[in-house]
């Protein structure tokens, strides 16, 4: 029995069925979870629309004359996003049918360690016995009392996806992944954007070199970014909302987006009754085999609080299913990439420079995209690839990419790290030409001062 039908839960359900288990997934909203309905997919559909709009505005750079400036239709963009989401949601339903996974449409709650009670929208309860239970209930946008989200003027990202009209101006609290992705998308759609981040730089979890490049590009998009600054209070104001920042500045905007992290969906799911332990922050701790403190109850994905990503949730699900069905398997996060759909895109794998330098003697290779023919052909020359290697062993410690297609380019580096390759081995691969990924090969060569496309370095 799997509680939650997001990218952790629904894939675990199919995998368990493929392995011959009798399996049911309980989900009270649409299958696909946050990722498909309110996160990864809808935001990427809208980002694709915003990028098309930008490309059209720059048509002349490609030798295309427009007879009139392009105009976008937000509601049509939203409708396109909904169509994509609906198609994919129904796809999961079809996969469930084809693999024989039962979907209970209702709210699932543990009732002891081997039962789940499903309550449907009419309050009708069904009690199901299961040998193994997987908790995959995910997370939701965090609600902070000082920023009272009302869905009208103070929003979270769920609300933004469903706006009837885009605001003329917005204040974004938090320059993490959600804050930065939305800042870029809205700026591309001509919204005046202010972003406030209390830590040192935008995307504080990424390498500071990457952040530097991104911050430069945010400036070009006319995004006003305030780092090392807190939003102290937010109230109604003449434009809609008024924020007081810790640097004394007052910002007026039509609406505000709160993007300051997430809370875990672990309330009311019967954890106490089943004896499942919860951490202080509300997440459910597990071992590397995904077992909670109760042997036949597993937890996977965001709810574990380790990494909040759709694709690690899917991996967790596979590990939990294999263990539930009698195999012995532990998670393997070696080479998990981070992929962020800002403009330009940001992606990374492994350690940041500041982390790597703590335990290793490091060497750095860098290659700017503006040297690549393909980047010029695409009219997107901002960005770079940076590789951090271990001076002694030549092992790859981290790879950081910012620029067009970064979220695709990173995967060659992710595989290399997953397989424990050296920087030399990565650079020795013959890359296709002309592709943006060549920058990975060139950065690997640069780490040994051997990139033929960079000027000679003075030592
Ligand atoms: P986050 O943890 O990435 O960023 C929140 C940011 O808000 C942090 O940088 C924090 O320092 C800042 N902050 C907190 N309180 C603040 C305050 N009072 N004033 C100013 N700044 C403040 O959380 P976010 O962006 O909400 O994303 C949630 C999760 O969703 C993340 O864990 C992320 O991994 C995931 N996600 C992943 C995506 C991807 O992989 N492309 C896309 C979107 C979300």
């Amino acid at each position: 029995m799997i509680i939650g039908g997001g990218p952790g839960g629904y894939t675990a359900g199919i995998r368990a069925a493929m392995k011959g288990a009798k399996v049911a997934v309980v989900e009270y909203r649409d299958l696909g979870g946050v990722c498909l309905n309110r996160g990864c997919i809808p935001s990427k559909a809208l980002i694709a629309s915003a990028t098309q709009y930008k490309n059209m505005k720059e048509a002349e750079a490609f030798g295309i004359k427009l007879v009139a400036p392009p105009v976008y239709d937000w509601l049509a963009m939203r409708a396109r996003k909904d169509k994509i989401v609906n198609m994919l949601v129904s796809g999961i339903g079809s996969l469930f049918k084809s693999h024989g996974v039962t979907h209970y449409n209702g709210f699932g709650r543990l009732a002891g360690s081997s039962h789940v009670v499903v309550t449907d929208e009419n309050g009708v309860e069904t009690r199901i016995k299961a040998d193994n239970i997987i908790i995959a209930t995910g997370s939701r946008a965090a609600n902070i009392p000082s920023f009272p989200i009302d869905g009208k003027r103070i929003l979270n990202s769920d609300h933004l996806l469903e706006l009837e009209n885009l605001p003329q101006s917005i204040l974004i609290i938090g320059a993490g992944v959600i804050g930065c992705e939305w800042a870029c998308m809205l700026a591309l759609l001509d919204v005046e954007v202010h972003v406030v981040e209390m830590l040192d730089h935008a995307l504080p979890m990424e390498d500071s070199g990457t952040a530097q490049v991104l911050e430069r590009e945010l400036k070009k998009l006319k995004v006003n970014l305030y780092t090392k600054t807190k939003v102290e209070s937010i109230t109604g104001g003449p434009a809609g909302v008024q924020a007081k920042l810790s640097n004394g500045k007052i910002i007026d905007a039509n609406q505000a987006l709160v993007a300051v992290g997430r809370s875990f969906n672990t309330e009311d799911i019967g954890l106490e009754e089943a004896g499942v332990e919860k951490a202080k922050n509300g997440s459910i701790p597990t071992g590397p085999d995904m077992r909670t403190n109760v042997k036949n109850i597993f937890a996977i994905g965001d709810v574990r609080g380790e990494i909040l990503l759709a694709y690690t949730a899917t991996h967790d699900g596979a590990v939990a299913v294999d263990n539930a069905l009698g195999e012995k398997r532990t998670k393997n996060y070696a080479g998990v990439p981070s992929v962020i759909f800002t403009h330009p895109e940001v992606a990374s794998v492994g350690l940041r420079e500041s982390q790597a330098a703590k335990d290793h003697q490091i060497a750095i290779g860098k290659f700017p995209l503006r040297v690549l023919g393909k980047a010029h052909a695409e009219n997107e020359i901002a960005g770079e690839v940076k590789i951090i290697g271990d001076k002694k062993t030549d092992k790859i410690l981290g790879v950081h990419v910012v620029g067009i297609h970064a979220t695709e380019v990173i995967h060659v580096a992710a595989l290399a790290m997953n397989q424990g390759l050296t920087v030399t081995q990565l650079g020795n691969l013959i890359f296709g030409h002309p592709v943006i990924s060549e920058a990975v090969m060139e950065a690997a060569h640069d780490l040994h001062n051997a990139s033929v496309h960079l000027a000679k370095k003075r030592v």
Side-chain angles (χ1 to χ4, degrees), residues 2 8 18 43 45 62 83 85 115 119 131 149 177 213 222 257 320 398 409:
I2 296 164
M18 281 174 156
S43 63
F62 290 88
K83 201 169 150 196
V85 169
H115 285 90
T119 310
D131 297 332
I149 292 172
V177 189
V213 179
K222 300 195 178 76
L257 164 68
V409 167

Side-chain angles (χ1 to χ4, degrees), residues 44 144 147 173-179 181 196-199 204-205 229-231 259-262 308-309 311 339-341:
K44 263 83 265 181
I144 292 184
F147 311 135
I173 309 173
V177 189
I178 293 182
E181 285 190 0
V196 184
E197 167 58 52
M198 65 183 183
L199 297 179
M205 71 304 271
T229 309
K230 265 184 134 174
V231 172
V260 296
R262 302 188 62 86
L308 283 73
L309 292 171
Y311 41 104
V339 290
I340 304 175
F341 298 83

Side-chain angles (χ1 to χ4, degrees), residues 132-154:
N132 292 286
I133 298 170
I134 299 177
I135 303 169
T137 47
S139 67
R140 60 182 184 277
N143 223 339
I144 292 184
S146 44
F147 311 135
I149 292 172
D150 59 12
K152 292 194 174 77
R153 286 184 308 183
I154 306 182

Side-chain angles (χ1 to χ4, degrees), residues 408-428:
E408 301 287 345
V409 167
I410 196 66
H411 287 85
V412 66
L415 180 63
M417 280 204 76
N418 176 277
Q419 295 299 308
L421 299 192
T422 61
V423 178
T424 304
Q425 285 172 315
L426 178 59
N428 278 348

Side-chain angles (χ1 to χ4, degrees), residues 90 242 327 374 401 453:
S90 70
Q242 186 166 77
E327 290 168 40
K374 187 63 177 356
V401 186
H453 289 105

Side-chain angles (χ1 to χ4, degrees), residues 314-397:
T314 302
H315 173 78
D316 290 359
V319 172
V321 164
D322 290 357
N323 287 318
L325 300 181
E327 290 168 40
K328 275 203 173 354
R329 183 173 171 194
T330 53
K331 72 178 164 100
N332 176 7
Y333 284 177
V336 176
S338 152
V339 290
I340 304 175
F341 298 83
T342 40
H343 187 85
E345 292 182 350
V346 165
S348 65
V349 57
L351 300 176
R352 300 192 290 264
E353 185 178 335
S354 55
Q355 292 171 317
K358 276 187 199 147
D359 302 319
H360 305 264
Q361 249 199 309
I362 59 168
I364 304 258
K366 263 195 197 178
F367 196 81
L369 296 198
R370 66 173 181 280
V371 181
L372 291 178
K374 187 63 177 356
H376 285 276
E378 302 264 3
N379 198 34
E380 294 284 355
I381 58 168
E384 65 179 23
V385 172
K386 167 172 161 184
I387 300 187
I388 305 159
D390 186 307
K391 249 191 185 152
K392 279 196 202 135
T393 62
D394 198 36
K395 286 270 184 230
I396 307 165
L397 300 173

Side-chain angles (χ1 to χ4, degrees), residues 129-332:
K129 186 172 167 16
D131 297 332
N132 292 286
I133 298 170
I134 299 177
I135 303 169
T137 47
S139 67
R140 60 182 184 277
N143 223 339
I144 292 184
S146 44
F147 311 135
I149 292 172
D150 59 12
K152 292 194 174 77
R153 286 184 308 183
I154 306 182
L155 316 173
N156 61 29
S157 55
D158 296 359
H159 301 124
L160 268 186
L161 288 167
E162 302 310 326
L163 282 180
E164 291 295 321
N165 301 296
L166 283 186
Q168 281 176 349
S169 58
I170 192 161
L171 163 75
I172 299 180
I173 309 173
V177 189
I178 293 182
C180 285
E181 285 190 0
W182 275 97
C184 291
M185 184 201 330
L186 292 171
L188 289 176
L189 294 174
D190 305 327
V191 176
E192 178 190 314
V193 181
H194 305 267
V195 186
V196 184
E197 167 58 52
M198 65 183 183
L199 297 179
D200 292 358
H201 55 75
L203 298 181
M205 71 304 271
E206 292 294 328
D207 192 83
S208 58
T210 298
Q212 248 178 32
V213 179
L214 181 69
E215 287 185 8
R216 207 164 53 221
E217 295 308 308
L218 286 174
K219 213 175 248 166
K220 287 190 203 155
L221 287 174
K222 300 195 178 76
V223 170
N224 304 295
L225 173 69
Y226 307 88
T227 51
K228 298 182 193 144
T229 309
K230 265 184 134 174
V231 172
E232 291 196 327
S233 68
I234 185 155
T235 53
V241 292
Q242 186 166 77
K244 212 173 136 199
L245 310 191
S246 53
N247 61 8
K249 207 173 156 61
I250 305 279
I251 293 184
D252 285 295
N254 299 142
Q255 285 172 314
L257 164 68
V258 181
V260 296
R262 302 188 62 86
S263 308
F264 307 103
N265 295 328
T266 49
E267 302 91 355
D268 305 325
I269 58 168
L271 294 182
E272 299 74 17
E273 202 183 323
V276 175
E277 280 166 11
K278 219 166 47 164
K280 255 202 188 127
N281 66 1
S283 64
I284 303 175
T286 71
D289 57 358
M290 303 299 139
R291 284 186 206 276
T292 66
N293 62 307
V294 180
K295 199 166 174 275
N296 66 320
I297 301 183
F298 299 78
I300 63 170
D302 283 15
V303 83
R304 293 201 311 113
E306 185 181 352
I307 302 189
L308 283 73
L309 292 171
Y311 41 104
T312 44
T314 302
H315 173 78
D316 290 359
V319 172
V321 164
D322 290 357
N323 287 318
L325 300 181
E327 290 168 40
K328 275 203 173 354
R329 183 173 171 194
T330 53
K331 72 178 164 100
N332 176 7

